[in-house]
């Protein structure tokens, strides 16, 4: 490589002021004219056009902060769902939602494998999936969410009124059960036993989206929520319509196994630990307990719901 003192005499080479090549691995610092930096370094302090070296930006030049050559900008990824949308993820919840004609769909994100499983299960899809990487869905849901490569945004399902229930309706009513895993498991159980609907309040209750929808494993598409302002008032209205109101209470005198199944009926469940609130208890026609025979005398509320539905839902 010629130094700055080379006069280019040998072989008639032009002088260094006419053409200049940077050394390999170094930038051509402080020289006028057009210059390219060497690999790995930028051309610091040179006037004129300069290209950044591989892996580094050209400091002090227009375009600072742009990716180096050979690197693609990292895409921002899908944007979060708009406020009010129901987020449904996981294979079974998404399959059930896609198959529900009443569910208005907005956006479907799927990995290649997730999309292939959907098509295999449903055939033609009602909405075109946007193919993404698993990490894109992770960014929307969190790394711990088991999404199985499927993420759906949709409109929440309509909430029917208490006056639109059939004469043989079987309902569940939830008294301030706030854990979405528990409520989702109750919804799944209710779908398995053919429950007409679940009465819940607008406040002190999780939304029918996200973790709840995943725990329900598709049950949301089969058991609607009847959202009311006040649970006690709703129970009074149901009583006026002829519903038998059965409160599940571990301190009750009556055993669940002694009750005769009847319709229409509503089974009222309280939160774990607190149980039924006093006014809720007062609005029930009968309080009943699960007749345990073992040493453990309490169950998760979703398990208690399954036992009550088996006993009274026949």
């Amino acid at each position: 490589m010629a130094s700055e003192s080379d006069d280019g005499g040998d072989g008639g080479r032009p002088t260094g002021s006419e053409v200049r090549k940077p050394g390999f691995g170094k930038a051509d610092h402080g020289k006028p004219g057009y210059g390219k930096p060497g690999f790995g370094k930028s051309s610091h302090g040179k006037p004129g056009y300069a290209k950044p070296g591989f892996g580094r930006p050209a400091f002090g030049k227009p375009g600072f902060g742009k990716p180096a050559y050979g690197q693609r900008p990292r895409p921002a990824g899908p944007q979060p769902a708009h406020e009010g949308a129901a987020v449904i993820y996981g294979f079974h919840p998404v399959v059930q939602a896609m198959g529900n004609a009443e569910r208005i769909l907005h956006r479907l994100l799927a990995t290649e494998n997730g999309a292939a499983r959907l098509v295999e299960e449903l055939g033609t899809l009602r909405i075109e999936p946007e193919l993404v990487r698993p990490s894109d869905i992770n960014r929307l849901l969190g790394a711990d969410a088991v999404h199985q490569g499927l993420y759906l945004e949709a409109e929440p399902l309509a909430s029917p009124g208490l006056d639109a229930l059939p004469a043989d309706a079987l309902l569940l009513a939830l008294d301030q059960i706030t854990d979405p895993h528990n409520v989702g498991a109750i919804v799944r159980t209710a779908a398995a036993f053919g429950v007409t609907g679940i009465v819940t309040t607008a406040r002190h209750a999780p939304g029918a989206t996200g973790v709840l929808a995943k725990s329900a494993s598709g049950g949301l598409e089969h058991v609607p929520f009847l959202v009311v302002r006040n649970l006690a008032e709703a129970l009074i209205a149901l009583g006026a319509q002829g519903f038998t109101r059965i409160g599940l209470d571990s301190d009750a005198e009556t055993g669940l196994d002694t009750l005769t199944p009847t319709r229409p009926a509503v089974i009222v469940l309280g939160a774990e630990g607190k149980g039924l609130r006093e006014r809720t208890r007062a609005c029930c026609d009968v309080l009943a307990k699960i007749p345990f025979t073992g040493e453990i005398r309490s169950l998760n509320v979703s398990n208690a719901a399954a036992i009550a539905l088996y006993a009274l839902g026949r």
Side-chain angles (χ1 to χ4, degrees):
M1 178 179 68
S3 69
E4 290 185 15
S5 62
D6 275 329
D7 60 6
D10 292 338
R13 295 172 61 195
T15 65
S17 63
E18 296 173 290
V19 175
R20 195 173 314 278
K21 296 181 179 178
F24 184 85
K26 290 187 178 180
D28 196 16
H29 301 286
K31 304 292 181 174
Y34 179 87
K36 294 181 180 178
F39 291 84
K41 292 192 177 181
S42 59
S43 178
H44 301 284
K46 291 188 67 176
Y49 179 81
K51 295 181 179 179
F54 288 81
R56 289 191 181 182
F59 299 98
K61 304 287 178 161
F64 170 72
K66 291 182 178 179
Y69 295 128
Q71 296 180 356
R72 293 183 178 179
R74 187 178 184 85
Q79 297 302 306
H82 67 80
E83 187 176 356
V87 172
I88 301 167
Y89 61 88
F91 181 72
H92 292 296
V94 170
V95 165
Q96 294 297 319
M98 294 280 288
N100 182 5
E102 300 297 318
R103 178 76 81 169
I104 299 172
L105 310 178
H106 290 312
R107 181 171 69 152
L108 173 63
L109 306 181
T111 61
E112 289 188 14
N113 287 340
R117 288 185 70 194
L118 268 188
V119 171
E120 183 180 355
E121 181 73 20
L122 297 173
T124 303
L125 304 181
R126 290 202 290 138
I127 185 173
E128 186 72 20
E130 178 184 340
L131 293 181
V132 296
R133 299 174 180 175
S135 58
D136 291 326
I137 302 179
N138 288 343
R139 280 195 291 272
L140 294 173
L141 299 174
D144 294 333
V146 184
H147 54 73
Q148 298 167 296
L150 293 170
Y151 170 101
L152 178 67
E153 292 171 13
E155 282 296 306
L157 294 170
S159 174
L162 297 180
D163 55 355
L165 297 168
D168 61 345
L170 175 62
L171 303 177
L172 291 178
L174 310 184
D175 188 13
Q176 294 194 350
I177 301 175
T178 58
D179 183 87
H181 293 92
N182 279 338
V183 177
I186 290 170
V187 173
R188 183 176 184 177
T189 299
F193 283 97
V195 168
T196 309
I198 297 176
V199 182
T200 185
T201 53
R203 299 178 59 195
H204 305 296
T209 182
V211 171
L212 189 158
K214 180 66 168 69
S215 299
S217 195
L220 282 177
E221 312 306 319
H222 306 284
V223 184
F225 278 123
L226 287 72
V227 182
V228 299
R229 186 183 65 84
N230 183 282
L231 182 60
E233 292 177 1
L235 291 174
I236 292 170
L238 289 171
Q241 293 175 223
F243 278 76
T244 301
R245 300 160 297 181
I246 305 164
L248 212 57
D249 188 336
S250 59
D251 295 327
E253 300 269 338
T254 304
L256 196 63
D257 56 337
T258 65
L259 299 182
T260 301
T262 184
R263 300 288 182 94
V266 53
I267 302 170
V268 190
L269 304 169
E272 290 183 51
K274 295 189 302 181
L276 298 176
R277 291 175 295 166
E278 184 175 350
R279 191 177 181 207
T280 305
R281 291 163 56 96
C283 293
C284 294
D285 298 303
V286 60
L287 297 175
K289 65 181 179 181
I290 297 173
F292 296 111
T293 57
E295 295 300 320
I296 302 298
R297 300 285 171 157
S298 66
L299 290 175
N300 175 281
V301 64
S302 63
N303 293 334
I307 293 172
L309 286 172
Y310 179 74
L312 302 175
R314 291 169 289 172

